[in-house]
């Protein structure tokens, strides 16, 4: 038996998206509808009812882990996913290239994503990695760019701590924050870690604002990527691998570093699909082809697609609807026609809701579809939030991958 889990980031919506309908309800999805007609639907709270999921915690819960027990922060998954060698004792962060203006209050954020910078990130990262932190700190760092404005930062040294605040104010025209030990964690390790971060970001502005890439961006009337916003402090988590729990081997196919990192931390192999960008322009057909090839030697594949969430954060209903339609045509269509449905179970869901009017994650449940030879069909025939609420699987929390594996008879027995 084979299994495929597809998580469409930010899939869910609200009736406010499109004149009383969500983007998913508006989208034309004949292939998902066909699978819904053959399978069963339900609503899943990625973590639990009323809990507003992060992408990292939501994915851990959907994969069968209790994020309250295993989550140490987002940064470690960003670093793992981008290929950094994370070791015990390291502290990891997610980072953004951002645009700031200096002022008497410090630095004022003008764009948290530096215009979603699309080129020059490697040169800017090289300049950042040339920064020397103050010697008395005894701390080394590595910064790597990811997709667009995103990047990952790793600190290495003796007695570091993940219990530090972030410098991102999460608002425009607001002053960046100084890094500090978290409340109640004012020990030497946290103070040293915060001092190293303050040292790094202050020097990053000096290096980046005058960099040739940013000088050209200014001439082109583009936002300069002249600062680093850093958050999501984390150290290496202890997770029992999916292979250890279920005795199966699988892979993660994702354009975004975070999602690759979650998969790697859970024991999956990394399989790259050509053209996978982690954005609205990702090559969905390539992901389908890559998954089909991977299943020739592996038991299961986890496919992540990001575009619906990007459009939701940008509050662009047209783009979100169009991406869902592309996913149906270019990803679900090839899988529907080429998989061996006598031996394959598939689950399709999201990791959270990203409504257009709010532009961020919200706590509503998201629709989930299971289809395959062991799935008892229900009375639904289209895939959207409304139909999912009528589905035979009712409403449950997390655990989508264990449920999927259960249809393949892979789950260990609890008790005798």
């Amino acid at each position: 038996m084979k299994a495929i889990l597809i998580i469409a980031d930010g899939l869910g919506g609200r009736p406010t998206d499109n004149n009383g309908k969500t983007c998913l309800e508006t989208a034309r999805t004949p292939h998902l509808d066909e699978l819904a007609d053959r399978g069963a639907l339900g609503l899943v709270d990625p973590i639990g009812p009323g809990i507003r999921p992060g992408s990292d915690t939501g994915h851990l819960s959907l994969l069968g882990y209790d994020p309250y027990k295993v989550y140490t922060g987002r940064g470690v998954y960003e670093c793992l996913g981008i290929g950094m060698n994370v070791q015990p004792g390291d502290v990891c962060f997610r980072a953004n290239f951002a645009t700031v203006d200096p002022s008497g209050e410090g630095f004022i954020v003008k764009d948290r994503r530096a215009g979603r910078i699309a080129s020059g990130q490697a040169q800017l990262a090289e300049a950042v990695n040339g920064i020397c932190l103050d010697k008395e700190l005894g701390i080394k760092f590595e910064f790597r760019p990811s997709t667009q404005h995103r990047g990952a930062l790793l600190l290495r040294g003796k007695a570091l701590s993940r219990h530090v605040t972030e410098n991102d104010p999460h608002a425009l025209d607001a002053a960046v924050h100084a890094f500090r030990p978290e409340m109640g964690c004012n020990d030497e390790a946290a103070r040293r870690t915060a001092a190293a971060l303050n040292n790094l970001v202050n020097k990053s502005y000096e290096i980046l604002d005058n960099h040739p890439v940013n000088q050209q961006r200014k001439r082109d009337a583009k936002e300069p990527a002249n600062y680093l916003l850093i958050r999501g402090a984390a150290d290496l988590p202890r997770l029992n691998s999916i292979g250890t729990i279920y005795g199966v081997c699988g892979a993660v196919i994702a354009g975004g570093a975070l999602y690759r990192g979650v998969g790697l931390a859970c024991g999956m192999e990394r399989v790259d699909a050509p053209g996978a960008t982690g954005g609205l322009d990702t090559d969905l057909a390539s992901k389908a082809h890559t998954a089909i090839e991977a299943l020739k030697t592996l038991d299961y594949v986890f496919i992540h697609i990001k575009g619906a969430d990007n459009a939701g954060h940008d509050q662009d209903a047209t783009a979100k609807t169009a991406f869902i339609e592309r996913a149906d045509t270019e990803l679900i269509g090839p899988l529907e026609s080429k998989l061996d449905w006598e031996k394959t179970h598939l689950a399709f869901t999201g990791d959270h809701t990203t409504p257009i009017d709010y532009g961020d994650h919200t706590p509503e449940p998201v629709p989930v579809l299971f289809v395959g030879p062991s799935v008892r069909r229900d009375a639904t025939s289209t895939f959207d939030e409304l139909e999912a609420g009528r589905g035979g699987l009712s409403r449950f929390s997390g655990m989508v991958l264990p449920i999927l594996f259960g249809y393949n008879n892979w789950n260990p027995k609890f008790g005798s």
Side-chain angles (χ1 to χ4, degrees), residues 99 108-112 168-177 229:
T99 304
I108 304 299
V109 177
K110 308 308 292 184
D111 189 325
R112 294 179 60 247
D168 188 349
H170 295 274
L172 300 182
D173 298 316
V176 302
H177 301 156
L229 294 177

Side-chain angles (χ1 to χ4, degrees), residues 268-404:
M268 302 179 196
E269 296 179 18
R270 171 179 174 172
V271 177
D272 293 333
T277 66
L280 286 161
D281 61 343
T282 196
D283 190 333
L284 295 165
S286 174
K287 288 189 176 183
H289 175 75
T290 301
I292 291 167
E293 289 298 309
L295 285 175
K296 292 178 179 179
T297 56
L298 298 171
D299 301 305
Y300 73 94
V301 171
F302 158 43
I303 305 172
H304 177 270
I305 55 176
K306 179 68 172 171
D309 187 53
N310 288 349
H313 282 289
D314 289 342
Q315 300 183 287
D316 188 338
T318 300
K320 182 171 179 178
T321 302
F323 184 83
I324 293 171
E325 292 181 344
R326 275 191 59 219
D328 184 75
T329 301
E330 299 173 21
L331 176 64
I332 303 301
L335 293 176
E336 182 190 10
S337 64
K338 295 179 181 179
L339 291 174
D340 181 351
W341 287 104
E342 293 183 359
K343 298 180 179 179
T344 305
H345 289 96
L346 180 146
F348 184 92
T349 190
D351 62 335
H352 54 76
T353 293
T354 309
I356 299 302
D357 61 346
Y358 187 60
D360 207 343
H361 305 185
T362 57
E364 292 94 340
V366 292
V368 60
L369 157 70
F370 291 92
V371 62
S374 299
V375 178
R376 188 190 303 274
R377 292 178 60 184
D378 62 16
T380 60
S381 58
T382 58
F383 182 76
D384 58 40
E385 293 92 344
L386 189 62
E387 278 290 277
R390 301 175 177 138
L393 298 175
S394 190
R395 182 170 173 174
F396 59 92
S397 297
M399 305 298 286
V400 169
L401 190 69
I403 293 171
L404 177 66

Side-chain angles (χ1 to χ4, degrees), residues 61-73:
S61 183
L62 293 172
L63 293 174
Y65 296 90
D66 183 347
Y68 291 101
K69 293 181 179 179
V70 303
Y71 183 63
T72 65

Side-chain angles (χ1 to χ4, degrees), residues 3 37 74 85 104 106 141 150 168 181 208 218 231 241 250 333 413:
D37 188 54
R74 175 163 175 161
N85 178 25
F141 76 92
R150 303 175 187 90
D168 188 349
L208 293 175
K218 292 176 186 178
R231 60 196 191 279
S241 73
K413 184 186 290 187

Side-chain angles (χ1 to χ4, degrees), residues 98-164:
T99 304
V100 299
D101 284 344
S103 76
E105 301 177 25
F107 295 105
I108 304 299
V109 177
K110 308 308 292 184
D111 189 325
R112 294 179 60 247
R113 300 176 178 89
R116 291 195 183 274
I117 181 172
S119 62
Q121 300 97 315
Q123 297 95 308
L124 295 175
E126 183 179 6
V128 169
N129 284 312
I131 294 172
C132 293
L133 299 181
D134 293 347
K135 286 186 178 181
E136 61 268 22
L137 293 170
I139 295 172
K140 296 180 179 180
F141 76 92
E142 180 183 1
F143 173 79
R144 287 196 193 181
S146 179
T147 56
Q148 295 182 320
H149 53 281
R150 303 175 187 90
L153 173 71
L154 182 151
L155 296 186
R156 179 167 293 162
K158 291 184 178 179
L160 295 175
S161 172
R162 66 180 172 91
H163 296 291
V164 292

